[in-house]
Amino acid sequence: MSRWICARSSSACSGGSELHDKISADMWCVKRKDLVCLRHDVLKAIRERRIMPTEQDEFDPRDTVYGPTIYTVNEQFIKPVTALAGNMSWAMMKNPEGLKCDLFITHAWQEGIFEFVDKVLYSWPRRARYAWCCMLANPQNLDISHLIRTPISSPFALALRSATYLLVVPNRSTSIYTRLWCAYEAYLAYEWDRVILTASARPTEVVSTAVIVLLCVAIGALVGSVWSQWGAEFTFHAFPFTVYPLFFGSVFCCTCSGRSFCNLVGASWSARWLAMALVFPCRLEYVMRQADQHVVTTWRATEATSALILVLYFCTAEADRLQHKAVRHEAELLRKGFAGIDRADCTNFEDATRIRSEIGGRARKVDATVGQLIRAGMSTKRLRSAAES
């Protein structure tokens, strides 16, 4: 077990309680690489049968996409490891000097550990360095009830006040906003004008879609080259009139399959146009030896540039379609079971009373922020202002 415990300073070894009293709660953070190590360590613990399925969590030990829930990982892995480190949190075990929070991660503990880590790593904002996450930040072996007695001065609120971004991690079970603490974090993010982002996993079809797109482009280029050699000059100028409808279909089509069709056919057709723009003028220059070569060269460059731009557009549009599909999937997970923060649950009645008292009459505005997050995948001060105006 000790091989998972990182090297730490002598002050950290003195005990988790003293360390957490010494370091401000908004510095109980992890680095991006700490999450990578956590994923590796949990996977190894599953293989060594130190994390096992339970009646509440019958996960498949062979599954590397979702994995055991955060509850299971906390009980069977995080608690034992941090107990050996002096009962400090996982974050403080890794970074005993503390790291200033600029990314706050909110989640509901019902997601699989691999699902959680992969979504966070893929969606980690570029400008963020250190992340605060309750399961890693709070000391799981210590009683922290006195720290959350007043929600606005709790470690959650202190970390979120320091953060620039709030990253929301959906799960397959239910909307995280059916939990009152998550709803309270959304309320604070709204009040403090934080950028709220929805985490999503890397699209699973990336490789297969890339192969299909490249194949379409290659076929289009090959056909265009052969077509030009056969001297089908009369069809050359018809290409823009067939490509542009595909372009508008890619932009305005409402269905995912329709956009994919327009993107793939458009990429192939544009590659065909590009090949003809490069090959056909060579024949033209050969036939028209006495013609103005400058005119031919200029025309060739213009046609080739237009075709190349369209090829790049359709390829990028297909990548964007995949990302939009992933965001829409996460939006459905956030919407699942959400009926407003007034109906959010909390296991502790006193916590629920204090949180609802703090939110007061601003519940509708917070609901609107969550709705905007579901629709757009993000919520910023400007987007909220625009929605309210």
Side-chain angles (χ1 to χ4, degrees), residues 1 39 77 95 112 215 245 266 309 312 350 363:
M1 183 74 71
R39 193 188 199 285
F77 184 75
N95 307 286
L215 185 62
I309 290 174
L312 295 176
E350 293 181 353

Side-chain angles (χ1 to χ4, degrees), residues 11 57 69 174 220 231 248 265 279 308 331 351 385:
S11 62
D57 182 16
T69 66
T174 186
F248 287 112
V265 176
V279 176
L308 178 60
D351 287 349
S385 298

Side-chain angles (χ1 to χ4, degrees), residues 209 212-213 216 259-269 314 318:
T209 301
I212 293 174
V213 170
C216 289
R259 285 187 63 194
S260 181
F261 173 82
C262 291
N263 292 334
L264 295 177
V265 176
S268 181
W269 207 252
F314 284 116
E318 184 63 8

Side-chain angles (χ1 to χ4, degrees), residues 125-331:
R126 291 184 179 181
R127 296 184 179 180
R129 296 182 299 169
Y130 310 126
W132 197 99
C133 176
C134 58
M135 71 159 176
L136 302 176
N138 292 327
Q140 300 300 328
N141 292 308
L142 300 179
D143 181 11
I144 63 168
S145 58
H146 64 287
L147 296 178
I148 61 175
R149 188 170 293 119
T150 304
I152 195 63
S153 61
S154 66
F156 302 90
L158 294 176
L160 187 50
R161 184 182 290 276
S162 171
T164 302
Y165 306 95
L166 171 65
L167 185 63
V168 180
V169 184
N171 65 76
R172 295 175 296 164
S173 301
T174 186
S175 171
I176 72 167
Y177 291 117
T178 59
R179 292 190 58 182
L180 190 56
W181 271 104
C182 294
Y184 178 66
E185 290 160 4
Y187 159 73
L188 293 181
Y190 168 82
E191 287 291 303
W192 296 338
D193 294 327
R194 297 298 181 259
V195 176
I196 309 175
L197 304 171
T198 302
S200 62
R202 185 184 302 275
T204 55
E205 315 98 313
V206 169
V207 175
S208 59
T209 301
V211 171
I212 293 174
V213 170
L214 292 176
L215 185 62
C216 289
V217 170
I219 291 175
L222 179 62
V223 171
S225 300
V226 175
W227 198 283
S228 292
Q229 294 295 337
W230 285 350
E233 294 89 344
F234 67 95
T235 63
F236 183 78
H237 297 288
F239 274 93
F241 299 101
T242 53
V243 170
Y244 290 139
L246 293 170
F247 170 80
F248 287 112
S250 171
V251 174
F252 296 109
C253 186
C254 298
T255 64
C256 189
S257 58
R259 285 187 63 194
S260 181
F261 173 82
C262 291
N263 292 334
L264 295 177
V265 176
S268 181
W269 207 252
S270 300
R272 184 179 178 184
W273 183 16
L274 175 61
M276 293 189 70
L278 296 175
V279 176
F280 173 62
C282 296
R283 297 185 65 256
L284 189 64
E285 291 175 4
Y286 176 77
V287 174
M288 301 177 62
R289 293 181 182 276
Q290 306 302 320
D292 187 347
Q293 297 300 314
H294 175 71
V295 174
V296 176
T297 302
T298 302
W299 173 77
R300 177 184 186 182
T302 302
E303 294 292 325
T305 301
S306 300
L308 178 60
I309 290 174
L310 284 171
V311 169
L312 295 176
Y313 164 77
F314 284 116
C315 294
T316 304
E318 184 63 8
D320 179 71
R321 182 192 66 83
L322 287 180
Q323 184 62 35
H324 175 74
K325 182 180 178 181
V327 170
R328 188 174 62 180
H329 174 68
E330 300 302 330

Side-chain angles (χ1 to χ4, degrees), residues 4-236:
W4 279 283
I5 302 177
C6 68
R8 56 193 184 274
S9 65
S10 58
S11 62
C13 295
S14 62
S17 180
E18 292 82 356
L19 183 62
H20 282 272
D21 288 340
K22 176 182 176 182
I23 305 296
S24 175
D26 60 346
M27 298 185 69
W28 303 347
C29 294
V30 294
K31 304 172 186 175
R32 199 174 188 276
K33 67 178 183 179
D34 293 334
L35 291 180
V36 176
C37 292
L38 175 64
R39 193 188 199 285
H40 176 269
D41 292 347
V42 169
L43 184 60
K44 189 172 184 178
I46 293 173
R47 290 172 178 169
E48 295 178 354
R49 302 178 65 83
R50 290 185 294 106
I51 298 180
M52 298 288 292
T54 64
E55 292 184 1
Q56 294 75 26
D57 182 16
E58 298 178 350
F59 70 92
D60 183 355
R62 298 168 297 179
D63 173 32
T64 59
V65 177
Y66 296 102
T69 66
I70 302 297
Y71 289 112
T72 301
V73 172
N74 183 55
E75 289 296 327
Q76 299 187 29
F77 184 75
I78 292 179
K79 281 187 174 181
V81 170
T82 55
L84 293 178
N87 288 324
M88 64 193 66
S89 70
W90 180 275
M92 296 309 295
M93 183 185 74
K94 289 288 187 179
N95 307 286
E97 301 301 323
L99 302 168
K100 193 68 172 177
C101 172
D102 51 18
L103 172 63
F104 187 98
I105 301 172
T106 180
H107 65 118
W109 287 56
Q110 295 167 308
E111 66 275 5
I113 184 66
F114 302 141
E115 175 189 17
F116 169 81
V117 172
D118 291 345
K119 285 183 177 182
V120 171
L121 292 178
Y122 182 69
S123 306
W124 189 291
R126 291 184 179 181
R127 296 184 179 180
R129 296 182 299 169
Y130 310 126
W132 197 99
C133 176
C134 58
M135 71 159 176
L136 302 176
N138 292 327
Q140 300 300 328
N141 292 308
L142 300 179
D143 181 11
I144 63 168
S145 58
H146 64 287
L147 296 178
I148 61 175
R149 188 170 293 119
T150 304
I152 195 63
S153 61
S154 66
F156 302 90
L158 294 176
L160 187 50
R161 184 182 290 276
S162 171
T164 302
Y165 306 95
L166 171 65
L167 185 63
V168 180
V169 184
N171 65 76
R172 295 175 296 164
S173 301
T174 186
S175 171
I176 72 167
Y177 291 117
T178 59
R179 292 190 58 182
L180 190 56
W181 271 104
C182 294
Y184 178 66
E185 290 160 4
Y187 159 73
L188 293 181
Y190 168 82
E191 287 291 303
W192 296 338
D193 294 327
R194 297 298 181 259
V195 176
I196 309 175
L197 304 171
T198 302
S200 62
R202 185 184 302 275
T204 55
E205 315 98 313
V206 169
V207 175
S208 59
T209 301
V211 171
I212 293 174
V213 170
L214 292 176
L215 185 62
C216 289
V217 170
I219 291 175
L222 179 62
V223 171
S225 300
V226 175
W227 198 283
S228 292
Q229 294 295 337
W230 285 350
E233 294 89 344
F234 67 95
T235 63
F236 183 78

